[in-house]
Amino acid sequence: MKIAVIFGGQSDEHEVSRNSAVNVLKSLAGRGDEIFQIGITKEGRWYLTDAELVDIASGEWEKYASNRQVCFACDPVVHGILILDRNNAATAERIDCAIPVLHGDHGEDGEIQGVFAMSGVPFVGPGVKASANCMDKSVAKIIAADTGVKMAKYTVITRHEYDKHRQEALARALSVDGGRFPLFVKPSSAGSSVGVTKVTEANELAAAIEYAFLFDEKVLVEEMIVGRELEVAVLGNCEPEASVVGEILTAGEFYDYESKYNNPESKTWVPDDLPEGVSDEIRRYAVELYKELDCRGLSRVDFFYSEEKGVVFNEVNTLPGFTNISMYPQLWAAMGVDGPELMDRLIRFALEEAGE
Ligand SMILES: Nc1ncnc2c1ncn2[C@@H]1O[C@H](COP(=O)(O)OP(=O)(O)O)[C@@H](O)[C@H]1O
Ligand SMILES: [Mg+2]
């Protein structure tokens, strides 16, 4: 097969994507496929690259003289990519499956999925609608509510509202949890904890909201759920399977960017001490939410759990991390599905979804 692996991208999670891509490429190595490595720079330039994995991880891949400009052709007759040579002459190359190893803006939000859909190339992961709906946490919550799953109390503030009616917006945010703190403030569409603040007193609220507005036009203010962070890896199309439940043991105040990627003290494990029935409840909800949100291929569904509140849904990640410390591949490994087998299944689900 001819497989395009796309990484990098114009997103705050560009670096995370490069690290995820290295593991995806390693897992694909033994299949005998022809791999087309496509890197997208932070400026949004697309290059076909034969860079070594270490250079993809570090970002040095951008300096390879052999890189060629490349784009996905929206015309399904091409069914793949156009590679430009030094004289801008294009060569069409058929692609059998695209693997977007992209997180956040443009890559996980339905934009690139729209390009793949138009191109007719099967692709790994949820389609346009599910990607867009899951990326915007305020939309995902509305759809998720249909399953009856519990969620943190929350309110949404748009930039327009904040600019015009700041006092009303702040008053509503302050009363999200009956005036109690801490509150969590976050961009509605972001990831990797970018723009997320735990607010412990009223005079910190406005700054946290304004900080989150740096990353999105919509901001969520949520009740803090004091509990454990539990995640499930879901795999499949219309009859998806849920992995065992994994737990995040964060080294920081909460699971912020530093704790996620730069603090080796943060740990993940498959807990064996959850009260009877909790694990099953979480796995059941994970599958229900996956279906309700129309996910395909893969997604990681994240929850909180506390004795007081029970199981509380947090968010769905439609292109979860594949870094060395990422939960998604670890949870499938715990199920006996290693990296190569996981990629094999993801490619098969992509082909099945495209009817190929
Ligand atoms: N309502 C909440 N209660 C407790 N912790 C929260 C809440 N919302 C977010 N967090 C903390 O912030 C982290 C990042 O928030 P999350 O909603 O998962 O956004 P992201 O898409 O950036 O991962 C979570 O992993 C958790 O540690
Ligand atoms: Mg999260």
Side-chain angles (χ1 to χ4, degrees):
M1 288 177 74
K2 295 189 174 190
I3 295 188
V5 175
I6 302 135
F7 64 87
Q10 280 183 290
S11 134
D12 297 309
E13 295 168 272
H14 177 101
E15 283 81 11
V16 182
S17 156
R18 291 200 316 249
N19 289 318
S20 290
V22 168
N23 288 327
V24 167
L25 287 163
K26 279 185 191 161
S27 292
L28 290 171
R31 290 170 47 91
D33 293 319
E34 190 177 344
I35 303 289
F36 295 79
Q37 301 179 155
I38 298 178
I40 305 177
T41 68
K42 286 184 186 167
E43 294 72 41
R45 303 295 311 274
W46 291 46
Y47 294 103
L48 182 66
T49 182
D50 54 12
E52 302 288 334
L53 297 185
V54 294
D55 295 325
I56 290 178
S58 69
E60 287 295 301
W61 73 270
E62 289 187 27
K63 298 186 184 148
Y64 275 56
S66 53
N67 289 348
R68 288 286 169 269
Q69 221 183 305
V70 69
C71 59
F72 249 86
C74 286
D75 186 332
V77 168
V78 177
H79 200 283
I81 54 178
L82 297 175
I83 305 162
L84 303 187
D85 69 16
R86 296 218 172 279
N87 304 314
N88 278 342
T91 308
E93 188 74 65
R94 189 186 160 88
I95 296 292
D96 298 306
C97 185
I99 308 183
V101 192
L102 299 165
H103 310 306
D105 288 345
H106 311 293
E108 194 175 355
D109 57 3
E111 289 191 15
I112 207 168
Q113 287 73 17
V115 173
F116 297 144
M118 292 183 82
S119 76
V121 174
F123 58 98
V124 166
V128 172
K129 270 188 298 173
S131 301
N133 290 339
C134 292
M135 188 72 205
D136 187 333
K137 294 180 171 78
S138 71
V139 175
K141 281 177 190 290
I142 292 168
I143 300 173
D146 246 16
T147 66
V149 73
K150 245 190 240 166
M151 289 179 265
K153 290 176 247 165
Y154 73 102
T155 191
V156 180
I157 303 172
T158 64
R159 188 197 298 279
H160 180 78
E161 182 195 8
Y162 193 73
D163 288 347
K164 293 261 158 142
H165 310 288
R166 183 161 310 190
Q167 291 320 316
E168 287 92 322
L170 284 171
R172 197 173 72 245
L174 274 174
S175 63
V176 154
D177 192 16
R180 279 183 290 275
F181 289 91
L183 295 173
F184 266 83
V185 178
K186 51 193 173 188
S188 194
S189 301
S192 290
S193 303
V194 172
V196 180
T197 310
K198 176 176 165 181
V199 172
T200 51
E201 46 186 289
N203 64 15
E204 296 167 353
L205 188 60
I209 291 171
E210 283 154 33
Y211 180 58
F213 274 132
L214 295 178
F215 304 94
D216 193 15
E217 299 291 302
K218 242 195 256 176
V219 166
L220 290 179
V221 180
E222 286 185 4
E223 151 198 27
M224 177 174 181
I225 304 297
V226 182
R228 299 168 71 167
E229 283 197 70
L230 302 168
E231 308 189 339
V232 183
V234 184
L235 176 65
N237 288 337
C238 294
E239 292 174 14
E241 274 180 80
S243 71
V244 288
V245 175
E247 179 169 19
I248 305 290
L249 303 171
T250 181
E253 265 279 308
F254 67 97
Y255 205 37
D256 58 8
Y257 191 93
E258 276 304 299
S259 322
K260 270 183 194 173
Y261 302 112
N262 299 329
N263 193 331
E265 301 291 304
S266 290
K267 297 265 183 308
T268 56
W269 74 308
V270 174
D272 54 15
D273 61 344
L274 287 173
E276 173 88 24
V278 168
S279 192
D280 286 342
E281 185 182 346
I282 289 179
R283 296 175 73 214
R284 202 171 55 241
Y285 269 127
V287 167
E288 256 186 77
L289 288 158
Y290 188 94
K291 289 183 177 172
E292 190 71 31
L293 285 151
D294 261 335
C295 294
R296 295 288 185 280
L298 80 164
S299 288
R300 200 190 70 229
V301 189
D302 298 351
F303 298 87
F304 301 109
Y305 171 77
S306 74
E307 256 174 53
E308 186 201 342
K309 306 255 172 188
V311 172
V312 178
F313 165 62
N314 183 30
E315 60 155 344
V316 177
N317 293 280
T318 50
L319 292 176
F322 272 75
T323 68
N324 291 336
I325 52 141
S326 290
M327 193 69 119
Y328 192 90
Q330 285 184 48
L331 288 177
W332 283 110
M335 299 286 288
V337 179
D338 64 8
E341 168 69 17
L342 185 55
M343 291 323 300
D344 191 58
R345 292 200 196 175
L346 288 170
I347 291 166
R348 278 194 277 126
F349 286 127
L351 299 182
E352 176 190 280
E353 180 61 15
E356 293 197 7

